[in-house]
Amino acid sequence: MPEITFIDFAGNETKVDVPNGTSLMQAAMENMVEGIEAECGGSGSCATCHCYLTTDWQGKIAGPNSNESDMLELVSDPKDLSRLSCQVTVSDEHHGLQVHLPQSQY
């Protein structure tokens, strides 16, 4: 089971074991990680589960589809590696992934 680390804007880390096939948003919600609101429940229509991935994971996680890209245009502090955590599904190859959470969601 991959271990994922959620890091809030102050640098506090929460490590969770995430079953394959689970979205980052689901993992955060099930483990009470603050900073993921998930108002739409994972349908990719609200951008309240915005997160940042690190450059070392570029190419190891599929890029956003057009719907996700459109939603990311609505976030207040986008970066090159911004993602909606509801759209990233965890697999064994994601063990060690670090997910940074924006200050705007606290």
Side-chain angles (χ1 to χ4, degrees):
M1 190 175 310
E3 181 182 77
I4 307 295
T5 304
F6 292 91
I7 305 170
D8 71 15
F9 69 94
N12 300 309
E13 296 184 1
T14 302
K15 294 181 186 240
V16 297
D17 291 324
V18 181
N20 287 331
T22 303
S23 72
L24 292 175
M25 181 212 73
Q26 287 173 296
M29 300 301 290
E30 290 171 3
N31 290 280
M32 295 183 276
V33 174
E34 291 187 39
I36 299 285
E37 295 177 27
E39 290 178 6
C40 71
S43 66
S45 63
C46 72
T48 60
C49 67
H50 175 223
C51 66
Y52 307 114
L53 304 182
T54 56
T55 57
D56 55 330
W57 288 93
Q58 219 167 4
K60 296 178 186 176
I61 295 177
N65 62 28
S66 61
N67 181 56
E68 182 181 358
S69 293
D70 290 345
M71 291 308 301
L72 287 169
E73 290 179 13
L74 303 176
V75 301
S76 62
D77 46 0
K79 295 183 180 178
D80 288 340
L81 295 172
S82 285
R83 292 300 303 269
L84 298 182
S85 63
C86 67
Q87 300 300 302
V88 178
T89 303
V90 174
S91 68
D92 282 336
E93 66 185 21
H94 300 134
H95 180 76
L97 176 67
Q98 293 185 338
V99 180
H100 293 264
L101 305 173
Q103 184 173 5
S104 62
Q105 289 177 182
Y106 284 86

